[in-house]
Amino acid sequence: MSLIDETASGLFAIAVTPFSEDGSLDLQSTDTMVDFYLESGCSGLTILGIMGEAQKLLPDEAVTFTKRVLSRSGNIPVVVGVSSPAFQPMERLTKQVMDLGAAGVMLAPMGGLNTDLKIKNYFFAVAEFLGGTPVVLQDYPPSSGVNISSNLLVNLFDELPMLKVLKHEDWPGLRKLTEFKRAQSQGKLREVSVLAGNGGLFLPQELDRGADGAMTGFAFPEMLAKVIKLYAEGAAPDAEDLFDCYLPLCKHEQQLGIGLALRKETLFRRGVLSSPAIRAPGPALDVKDYSELSHLISRLYRRLSMSGYPTDFWKAE
């Protein structure tokens, strides 16, 4: 499998980690899930991210899950989340997944880095530990609590060749994306891939500002892949019209706390997972949550039909 580089584009779907009702890894659903993402038009996969419940996996489970995904994913690149407050576990997991055939790793800065110097020193230390491993830098201040300025991002990518992709997930962060891309156009930085996050909630605006695609999760990844494809073909109005059909459900899934439960429940209803289980401790949906989700899914399919989109449009191409 090829390594991820600065040309990464399209949709890298952030995959959930399937569990059985007893909390064990569901490897059969892992196969079904990978097949689903491939059918949905994904350019790559990202596993063991925040929405992949990576923090709940034992080290050997993380390796087992990675191995299963890689065995099923064919030739598309698979990026593995390795974020850790300690360098040694990060280094060990990185070596294990890269030896298995991962295309690269994704990491976010550890918490508590409250100055540019601390942030810079952290990533230079990471570079020492991980060597030439291709890295996706996840810039997600709402989760990490670390705010990286546009200028510092440019500086980091300029000085650290191991950084191949910026996962743009600041919120609000559209101006940061513009400034980062402007630095490239002005020759201050090599061409670097920028993939959007935040569940695709701002995807049309991010693509319009120069994002090369998305690295994010949503229970309907085929929409994200199609929107990116339409933008690449110069059909932005069509992309926005399609995106608008899914926006209520996309927004609903971004709720803090129950968002992952909503995504897994939807994937369960779509036949992707054999169970919507979240490993304990985790959020649980109540009767009203189930009702709201059913309403939004029904509304989505009705609106797709009214707009002339087949619900399986991604398979019809």
Side-chain angles (χ1 to χ4, degrees), residues 11 87 119 151 207 229 250 257 280 287 306:
L11 174 63
F87 288 135
I119 296 170
N151 288 338
L207 292 170
K229 185 173 184 290
C250 185
V287 173
M306 291 172 59

Side-chain angles (χ1 to χ4, degrees), residues 21-304:
E21 289 295 330
D22 64 2
S24 62
L25 280 175
D26 182 351
L27 296 179
Q28 189 61 49
S29 284
T30 298
D31 292 343
T32 307
M33 177 188 70
V34 172
D35 292 346
F36 165 74
Y37 284 127
L38 293 177
E39 286 184 343
S40 298
C42 295
S43 302
L45 295 175
T46 302
I47 60 175
L48 303 186
I50 294 172
M51 296 297 272
E53 301 177 77
Q55 73 281 6
K56 299 178 184 177
L57 295 180
L58 297 171
D60 62 323
E61 289 180 315
V63 174
T64 296
F65 178 64
T66 299
K67 187 175 182 179
R68 188 65 170 241
V69 170
L70 287 167
S71 72
R72 194 79 175 186
S73 59
N75 294 321
I76 70 167
V78 176
V79 175
V80 182
V82 297
S83 297
S84 171
F87 288 135
Q88 283 80 7
M90 180 193 302
E91 180 185 31
R92 182 184 181 193
L93 181 56
T94 295
K95 184 179 187 310
Q96 289 174 314
V97 300
M98 295 304 293
D99 286 346
L100 289 172
V105 299
M106 177 181 71
L107 63 88
M110 61 175 285
L113 304 177
N114 55 8
T115 68
D116 283 2
L117 181 59
K118 289 179 181 179
I119 296 170
K120 188 170 183 177
N121 287 343
Y122 172 81
F123 280 105
F124 271 81
V126 167
E128 288 291 324
F129 274 88
L130 302 190
T133 303
V135 171
V136 176
L137 192 163
Q138 184 180 20
D139 181 28
Y140 189 21
S143 173
S144 67
V146 178
N147 291 286
I148 309 176
S149 68
S150 302
N151 288 338
L152 182 55
L153 274 177
V154 171
N155 183 255
L156 289 171
F157 275 85
D158 183 52
E159 296 191 35
L160 295 173
M162 66 183 297
L163 298 179
K164 304 297 185 183
V165 177
L166 170 62
K167 186 185 179 189
H168 167 72
E169 218 160 11
D170 204 345
W171 185 343
L174 293 174
R175 187 172 299 175
K176 181 186 283 188
L177 172 54
T178 297
E179 292 168 349
F180 190 79
K181 280 295 186 178
R182 183 184 298 132
Q184 294 181 19
S185 66
Q186 294 175 343
K188 298 177 182 178
L189 176 64
R190 72 188 192 279
E191 290 296 320
V192 174
S193 171
V194 177
L195 301 178
N198 288 317
L201 199 56
F202 312 110
L203 185 58
Q205 291 74 37
E206 287 161 328
L207 292 170
D208 186 63
R209 288 176 181 245
D212 301 287
M215 181 177 283
T216 195
F218 180 43
F220 292 85
E222 64 272 20
M223 179 275 286
L224 302 177
K226 183 69 172 181
V227 167
I228 293 167
K229 185 173 184 290
L230 287 170
Y231 260 88
E233 295 171 346
D238 293 336
E240 289 185 293
D241 289 343
L242 176 61
F243 179 82
D244 287 349
C245 294
Y246 290 81
L247 183 55
L249 193 56
C250 185
K251 180 181 67 174
H252 190 68
E253 197 181 279
Q254 284 299 296
Q255 294 181 82
L256 294 177
I258 67 168
L260 177 58
L262 291 168
R263 183 177 301 172
K264 280 195 161 183
E265 174 65 22
T266 306
L267 291 172
F268 168 67
R269 296 186 188 190
R270 300 192 72 189
V272 179
L273 305 178
S274 63
S275 167
I278 292 176
R279 181 170 276 187
L285 303 180
D286 63 19
V287 173
K288 184 61 177 177
D289 293 325
Y290 287 120
S291 174
E292 286 173 345
L293 182 59
S294 296
H295 169 72
L296 287 169
I297 292 174
S298 296
R299 186 172 181 268
L300 166 64
Y301 284 118
R302 184 170 67 252
R303 188 167 183 185
L304 285 174

